[in-house]
């Protein structure tokens, strides 16, 4: 764990320059606007540890897979969101010496991400080797008010000495991904234009043919006097303007730079240059201060819907807002072609692709905090990839419309190539089916089922029906050779979670077929014809579901993670030495696979999803057995445990797990924040508060609230959207205030008791927490 970030309710603050942690801070302070984003790289040249990163949503490249042993069914590529044009670059020299915080004496340093306003800022005092001492103040935004605009303000004050200053304000499109399998530049067909005021460069991705165009305009003032610029083209992919001036102690240099960033996801190539130049001309006319104000006002509207206020615990408050901030700037739901990458705009790991994390963890955040369309678009994204999911299944030998959604994807094709995940971690199919169920029960949008969802459910159920086989020994259906959510077990038989969600999925799909058939006969006729659905499929599904094998220790109320789990030596994590952890960095894979230790919730993942189907004592016995064996070396692990622990009344454990998930990246729990943040885990942090400590869930078509406030907190307050109505909760020790901010009355269950709240009124409900 690291502890160099100061606790603050609204900010991520680095006091003093921690060069050794710079890549971590670059990740933590990343900014974006759901259309593009960037890591918190310095504007000036920096030769120290850094991962330069600028990313544009939806623009990717199929990087050729690099594996030692090829297996039938492996995808040929791993899709990667591309490192893009660096528009912030200000290359500065003072009396010929390059400004580089890695090489100069940094006398004072302060870096801050203001999450309330969405602004990255930095101040520092630097003593160059030639005796010149300067003070820098920089501010930067990826505008929420104009999703194609980036802007920065960079001020230099000369404290000691005098200097001839050279400043190159550049666009640099000569960019490579650090995770390129073959150190390849993924961009080609550069085109550049340069005049006295603006610089413009565009490029095309190899193979995928995406185009990105970037224009920049810079204004530099010396003591309020605008300085002349000289066009400077370094190469076909790197160009901008050079400023040369002289300054002495007391002088101030003010630089404002605006960038218009567009892609072929949204614009025709022919309009790129004109569009970007119009963006930066309008930005320059407004000036940086006005742009930042517009941007911060847009952020205020986001926070109004999604903020969680925690009283009495600054570390917890900082943690939840940090997570909400990055979720909001990663995805806004306006485009059903986009999804949520595990690193968002904060790094290159995992390729920026879509995983099952979206359905299992992210969807609830957007259900609670955004209009219905946002979550709906996440599901439409999967519907549009249904044909690819069917192709993916066909490649593995499945047929007749069976669909296997990819573990990792950009365009619906599987692009992951570790056999134990690509071929075996098939529980991802269940998460996509569960998301349809979760969305409909929360929003009441039954129309989605006939319009999109049922086709997906049929494809997934066909996969399960073909993936099982009948065991004569057990006289039941089994699922062999899988990897469950616990990736520290590979190629196991009858993973309980996988078998259970397959069983549930077959039942749910059958029920929804009957519902659509009865209520929307015309829609069912269309679906039946399109999917070539046969009635005997339903009877097969019912038989499989009824006879699905689920490994269980009935005497102790334990669902066994898989066949043979009790053959392992059962050792609690607390008996491991610190030198052994994290296991994935200290142990061989062979040793991990033979151990009892669990990476993340597996059986408990199923109990979290289907809590209402199990008695609380069964959930408790499984929690008490599996949590002590869990090393939480997946970012997705602590949140599920926090929710279950809160619901079971295990408040200390719930709070421990909450802090771990909410501060996972801030405190660098898993020693991996330097290559990007864990965006999907952040959604888990949100639901650990809302579903865990506030106890909010939807069951039997009703909203339930069952608070369980940690002793470390005085209160929590937030609002949610439920079926078009906005509700605000203030949960305190002795009472919960529920305010109906909508124009219709609402009914809900508070601690099991039905409560009706009139429109635009509140209700004060007593409790003891």
């Amino acid at each position: 764990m690291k502890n160099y970030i100061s606790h603050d309710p609204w900010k991520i603050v680095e006091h003093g320059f921690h060069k050794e942690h710079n890549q971590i801070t670059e990740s933590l302070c990343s900014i974006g606007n759901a259309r593009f984003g960037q890591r918190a790289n310095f504007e000036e040249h920096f030769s120290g540890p850094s991962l330069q990163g600028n990313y544009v949503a939806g623009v990717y490249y199929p990087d050729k897979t690099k594996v030692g042993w090829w297996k039938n069914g492996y995808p040929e590529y791993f899709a990667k969101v591309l490192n893009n044009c660096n528009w912030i670059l200000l290359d500065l020299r003072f009396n010929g010496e390059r400004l580089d915080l890695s090489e100069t004496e940094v006398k004072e340093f302060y870096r801050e991400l203001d999450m309330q306003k969405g602004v990255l800022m930095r101040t520092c005092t630097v003593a160059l080797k030639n005796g010149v001492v300067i003070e820098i103040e920089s501010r930067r935004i990826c505008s929420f008010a104009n999703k194609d605009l980036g802007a920065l303000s960079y001020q230099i004050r000369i404290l000691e000495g005098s200097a001839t200053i050279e400043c190159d304000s550049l666009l640099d499109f000569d960019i490579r991904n650090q995770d390129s399998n073959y150190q390849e530049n993924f961009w080609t067909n550069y085109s550049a234009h340069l005049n006295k005021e603006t610089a413009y460069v565009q490029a095309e991705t190899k193979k995928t043919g995406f185009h990105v165009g970037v224009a920049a305009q810079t204004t530099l003032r010396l003591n309020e006097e605008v300085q002349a610029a000289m066009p400077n083209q370094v190469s076909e992919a790197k160009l901008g303007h050079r400023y040369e001036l002289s300054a002495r102690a007391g002088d101030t240099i003010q630089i404002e730079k605006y960038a218009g960033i567009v892609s072929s996801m949204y614009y025709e190539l022919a309009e790129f240059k004109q569009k970007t130049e119009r963006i930066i001309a309008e930005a320059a006319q407004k000036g940086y201060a006005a742009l930042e104000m517009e941007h911060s006002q847009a952020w205020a509207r986001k926070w109004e819907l999604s903020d969680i206020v925690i009283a009495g615990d600054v570390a917890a408050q900082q943690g939840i807002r940090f997570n909400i901030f990055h979720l909001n700037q990663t995805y806004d739901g306006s485009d059903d072609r986009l999804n949520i990458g595990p690193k968002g705009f904060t790094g290159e790991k995992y390729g920026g692709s879509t995983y099952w994390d979206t359905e299992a963890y992210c969807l609830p955040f957007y259900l609670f905090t955004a209009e219905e369309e946002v979550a709906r678009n996440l599901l439409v994204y999967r519907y549009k990839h249904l044909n690819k999911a069917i192709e993916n299944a066909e490649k593995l030998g499945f047929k007749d419309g069976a669909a296997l959604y990819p573990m990792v994807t950009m365009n619906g094709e599987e692009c992951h190539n570790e056999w134990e995940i690509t071929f075996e971690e098939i529980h991802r199919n269940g998460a996509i089916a569960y998301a349809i169920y979760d969305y409909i029960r929360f929003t009441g949008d039954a129309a989605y089922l006939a319009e999109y969802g049922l086709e997906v459910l049929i494809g997934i159920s066909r996969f399960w029906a073909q993936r099982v086989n009948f065991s004569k020994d057990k006289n039941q259906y089994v699922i062999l050779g899988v990897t469950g959510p616990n990736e520290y077990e590979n190629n196991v038989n009858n993973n309980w979670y996988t078998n259970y969600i397959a069983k549930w999925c077959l039942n749910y799909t059958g029920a929804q077929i009957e519902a659509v058939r009865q209520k929307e006969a015309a829609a069912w006729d269309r679906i039946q014809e399109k999917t070539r659905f046969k009635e005997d499929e339903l009877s097969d599904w019912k038989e499989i579901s009824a006879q699905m094998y689920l490994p269980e220790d009935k005497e102790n109320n334990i669902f066994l993670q898989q066949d043979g789990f009790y053959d392992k030596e059962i050792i609690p994590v607390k008996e491991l030495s610190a030198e052994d952890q994290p296991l994935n960095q200290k142990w061989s894979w062979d040793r991990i696979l033979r151990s009892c230790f669990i990476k993340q919730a597996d059986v408990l993942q199923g109990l979290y999803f289907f809590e209402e189907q199990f008695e609380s004592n069964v959930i408790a016995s499984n929690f008490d057995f599996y949590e002590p064996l869990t090393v939480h070396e997946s970012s997705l692990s602590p949140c599920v445990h926090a929710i279950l622990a809160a619901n079971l009344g295990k408040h200390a454990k719930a709070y421990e797990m909450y802090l771990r998930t909410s501060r996972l990246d801030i405190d660098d729990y898993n020693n991996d924040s330097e290559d990007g943040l864990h965006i999907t885990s952040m959604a888990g942090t949100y639901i650990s508060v809302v579903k865990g400590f506030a106890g909010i869930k939807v069951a039997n078509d009703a909203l339930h609230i069952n608070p369980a406030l940690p002793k470390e907190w005085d209160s929590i307050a937030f609002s949610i959207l439920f079926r078009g109505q906005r509700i605000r909760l203030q949960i305190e020790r002795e009472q919960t205030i529920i305010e109906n901010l909508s124009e219709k009355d609402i009914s809900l269950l508070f601690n099991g008791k039905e409560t009706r709240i009139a429109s635009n009124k509140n209700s004060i409900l007593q409790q003891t927490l």
Side-chain angles (χ1 to χ4, degrees):
M1 287 177 58
K2 315 293 190 302
N3 59 3
Y4 72 99
I5 297 297
S6 302
H7 290 186
D8 185 283
W10 273 113
K11 298 174 179 179
I12 299 298
V13 176
E14 177 188 18
H15 285 284
F17 186 36
H18 298 81
K19 178 179 173 180
E20 71 282 11
H21 299 325
N22 184 58
Q23 282 190 221
I24 296 173
T25 317
E26 287 180 341
S27 296
L28 299 179
C29 296
S30 298
I31 56 175
N33 61 13
R35 184 73 66 84
F36 73 93
Q38 59 189 196
R39 289 170 59 83
N41 308 120
F42 297 141
E43 292 84 358
E44 68 275 3
H45 176 79
F46 182 69
S47 60
S50 177
L51 170 59
Q52 190 276 322
N54 289 266
Y55 310 99
V56 175
V59 176
Y60 72 92
Y61 176 84
D63 194 13
K64 184 172 175 57
T65 295
K66 195 171 187 178
V67 292
W69 296 96
W70 196 269
K71 294 179 176 63
N72 288 337
Y74 266 179
E76 295 187 357
Y77 68 88
F78 191 94
K80 292 177 177 176
V81 168
L82 299 190
N83 208 331
N84 234 289
C85 179
N86 180 11
W87 65 270
I88 66 172
L89 184 55
L90 298 174
D91 198 357
L92 290 152
R93 285 177 168 80
F94 296 80
N95 294 331
E97 182 181 340
R98 195 179 207 178
L99 176 60
D100 179 350
L101 266 62
S102 183
E103 297 296 325
T104 56
E105 180 187 357
V106 180
K107 300 170 80 67
E108 295 181 7
F109 185 94
Y110 176 89
R111 179 159 39 180
E112 166 191 299
L113 173 63
D114 186 331
M115 298 181 289
Q116 187 173 26
K117 296 180 179 178
V119 179
L120 172 63
M121 68 89 64
R122 169 176 55 120
T123 61
C124 58
T125 302
V126 177
L128 282 79
K129 295 175 183 177
N130 59 25
V132 177
V133 180
I134 61 172
E135 180 185 73
I136 299 167
E137 179 179 339
S138 67
R139 303 178 70 85
R140 191 193 313 167
I141 61 170
C142 296
S143 176
F144 252 74
N146 181 342
K147 295 294 184 74
D148 301 316
L149 173 68
L152 67 84
S153 169
Y154 191 97
Q155 179 178 284
I156 304 165
R157 192 159 67 95
I158 309 296
L159 300 182
E160 296 179 23
S162 58
T164 298
I165 302 170
E166 298 169 85
C167 173
D168 287 307
S169 177
L170 301 171
L171 296 175
D172 184 4
F173 221 140
D174 186 13
I175 296 295
R176 285 170 170 77
N177 276 46
Q178 287 195 11
D179 68 349
S180 168
N181 284 335
Y182 296 91
Q183 290 74 54
E184 182 180 3
N185 185 341
F186 299 143
W187 297 95
T188 188
N189 296 333
Y190 293 103
S191 176
H193 301 272
L194 188 62
N195 60 34
K196 290 182 179 180
E197 292 185 345
T198 64
Y200 175 81
V201 61
Q202 70 184 45
E204 180 183 8
T205 60
K206 297 176 181 178
K207 296 184 181 180
T208 45
F210 291 105
H211 293 264
V212 171
V214 183
Q217 181 170 328
T218 304
T219 302
L220 186 149
R221 294 179 174 87
L222 173 61
N223 299 328
E224 304 299 326
E225 184 177 342
V226 175
Q227 302 295 295
M230 296 176 289
N232 178 22
Q233 183 147 0
V234 180
S235 67
E236 66 172 357
K238 188 173 184 178
L239 70 161
H241 295 87
R242 167 166 288 196
Y243 298 85
E244 296 180 356
L245 58 150
S246 296
R248 57 188 178 182
D251 285 346
T252 299
I253 298 97
Q254 178 67 46
I255 304 169
E256 292 186 355
K257 187 173 183 178
Y258 311 101
I261 303 165
V262 300
S263 79
S264 52
M265 289 283 291
Y266 299 100
Y267 301 102
E268 296 295 327
L269 181 60
E271 62 179 323
F272 272 26
K273 186 171 181 291
Q274 182 180 4
K275 175 68 176 177
T276 54
E277 289 180 348
R278 184 167 64 249
I279 290 168
I280 59 177
E282 292 173 355
Q285 186 174 18
K286 288 183 178 180
Y288 178 83
L291 295 171
E292 184 181 296
M293 182 176 294
E294 291 176 355
H295 166 73
S296 297
Q297 288 169 347
W299 261 110
R301 292 189 288 273
K302 280 284 187 186
W303 282 115
E304 184 180 359
L305 286 174
S306 58
D307 190 22
I308 291 179
V309 180
I310 297 174
D313 190 339
V314 175
Q317 177 68 87
Q318 183 184 43
I320 191 64
R321 282 184 172 142
F322 174 75
N323 288 266
I324 294 169
F325 174 81
H326 281 287
L327 285 163
N328 277 327
Q329 67 176 7
T330 297
Y331 180 79
D332 66 6
S334 61
D335 188 340
D336 61 24
R337 298 171 300 171
L338 299 178
N339 209 283
I340 302 160
K343 295 294 182 182
F345 296 116
T346 72
E348 299 173 10
K349 192 174 181 182
Y350 304 122
S353 299
T354 298
Y355 287 64
W356 72 292
D357 308 17
T358 291
E359 284 74 23
Y361 298 89
C362 296
L363 182 71
F365 171 77
Y366 298 100
L367 284 172
F368 282 118
T369 65
E371 297 298 329
E372 184 179 292
E373 181 186 11
V374 174
R376 200 177 207 262
N377 278 344
L378 284 173
L379 302 187
V380 171
Y381 174 89
R382 293 294 193 181
Y383 171 80
K384 288 186 171 183
H385 289 172
L386 177 57
N387 287 338
K388 289 288 188 182
I390 293 171
E391 289 178 16
N392 292 335
E394 288 174 347
K395 291 175 183 177
L396 301 184
F398 297 87
K399 58 185 180 180
D400 298 329
L404 175 59
Y405 276 89
M407 186 66 181
V408 178
T409 194
M410 281 289 185
N411 64 355
E413 284 184 307
E414 177 64 76
C415 62
H416 196 282
N417 51 47
E418 295 177 13
W419 65 269
E420 68 274 16
I421 292 175
T422 306
F423 305 144
E424 295 195 342
E425 203 162 339
I426 55 176
H427 67 81
R428 64 206 189 232
N429 246 16
I432 291 167
Y434 182 86
I436 295 171
Y437 159 74
D438 202 21
Y439 168 80
I440 292 172
R441 71 168 172 170
F442 190 89
T443 65
D445 179 16
Y448 176 81
L449 193 65
E451 189 176 358
Y452 298 113
L454 191 53
E455 292 178 46
V456 174
L457 291 173
I458 289 170
I460 290 173
S461 291
R462 284 171 166 167
F463 171 83
W464 290 127
Q466 294 177 39
R467 186 60 171 79
V468 303
N469 60 275
F470 190 78
S471 166
K472 291 183 180 179
D473 177 60
K474 292 181 171 60
N475 199 33
Q476 288 181 284
Y477 286 93
V478 296
I479 303 180
L480 308 178
V482 302
T483 297
N486 172 28
E487 293 172 341
Y488 287 175
E489 292 276 13
N490 301 151
N491 201 34
V492 302
N493 294 334
N494 297 308
N495 170 255
W496 182 89
Y497 171 75
T498 302
N499 288 24
Y500 190 89
I501 206 164
K503 172 186 173 76
W504 169 84
C505 184
L506 293 169
N507 284 333
Y508 180 66
T509 304
Q512 301 320 301
I513 287 173
E514 293 300 334
V516 173
R517 194 200 314 258
Q518 292 176 19
K519 296 177 182 177
E520 301 187 56
W524 170 245
D525 289 343
R526 171 184 57 80
I527 294 168
Q528 186 173 29
E529 180 180 1
K530 184 176 180 181
T531 62
R532 299 180 181 179
F533 182 81
K534 297 181 177 68
E535 289 299 319
D536 59 2
E537 292 185 76
L538 269 181
S539 58
D540 290 344
W541 297 352
K542 288 177 181 177
E543 178 188 353
I544 294 168
S545 177
Q547 298 188 65
M548 181 71 76
Y549 170 66
L550 296 167
E552 182 178 3
D553 171 4
K554 292 183 179 180
E555 182 179 347
N556 294 301
N557 278 334
I558 301 296
F559 302 127
L560 296 181
Q561 186 173 273
Q562 69 267 342
D563 285 350
F565 190 79
Y566 275 174
D567 292 338
K568 294 174 177 287
E569 185 179 8
I570 306 300
I571 305 170
V573 173
K574 66 182 181 182
E575 293 186 15
L576 284 172
S577 68
E579 290 74 22
D580 282 329
Q581 300 179 64
L583 302 185
N584 58 24
Q585 296 176 25
K586 301 296 181 64
W587 282 15
S588 71
W589 195 243
D590 170 72
R591 189 178 180 188
I592 289 174
L593 293 178
R594 288 186 287 107
S595 78
C596 68
F597 300 116
I598 299 170
K599 181 181 179 185
Q600 68 186 80
D602 195 303
V603 169
L604 298 184
Q605 181 76 35
L607 297 180
Y608 156 62
F609 271 170
F610 303 108
E611 178 187 7
E612 67 275 8
Q613 298 182 20
F614 300 96
E615 298 293 333
S616 60
N617 67 311
V618 174
I619 298 174
S621 61
N622 280 275
F623 186 93
D624 290 344
F625 179 71
Y626 285 111
E627 195 285 325
L629 307 180
T630 305
V631 290
H632 302 294
E633 288 175 9
S634 164
S635 64
L636 299 176
S637 186
C639 59
V640 171
H641 290 83
I643 294 166
L644 290 176
N647 293 341
L648 290 169
K650 299 176 181 291
H651 303 307
K653 176 58 69 173
Y655 180 72
E656 173 196 341
M657 291 291 99
Y658 167 79
L659 279 187
R660 181 159 185 155
T661 185
S662 69
R663 300 190 63 83
L664 179 82
D665 288 309
I666 298 174
D667 295 336
D668 196 24
Y669 268 87
N670 291 345
N671 295 312
D672 59 359
S673 297
E674 63 184 21
D675 55 20
L677 306 178
H678 298 84
I679 302 300
T680 47
S681 166
M682 292 174 172
T685 300
Y686 178 88
I687 59 177
S688 70
V689 174
V690 174
K691 290 188 174 186
F693 299 125
I696 295 179
K697 65 180 180 180
V698 180
N700 300 319
D701 207 36
L703 185 69
H704 294 247
I705 302 173
N706 301 282
L709 198 67
K711 67 180 179 61
E712 291 81 2
W713 299 355
D714 298 329
S715 66
I716 52 176
F718 58 92
S719 64
I720 62 168
L721 290 170
F722 177 66
R723 300 190 178 179
Q725 295 179 272
R726 187 176 170 206
I727 305 160
R728 181 163 182 81
L729 289 85
Q730 173 84 22
I731 300 172
E732 302 170 358
R733 288 275 158 217
E734 297 179 354
Q735 65 180 19
T736 291
I737 303 170
I738 305 176
E739 187 177 2
N740 181 1
L741 301 174
S742 305
E743 298 303 318
K744 295 193 304 181
D745 295 356
I746 188 169
S747 292
L748 52 84
L749 282 87
F750 181 79
N751 286 331
K753 183 178 180 180
E754 187 170 358
T755 302
R756 188 170 185 84
I757 307 172
S759 63
N760 296 305
K761 300 292 183 182
N762 65 48
S763 181
I764 302 175
L765 304 164
Q766 304 301 315
Q767 86 239 328
T768 301
L769 298 178

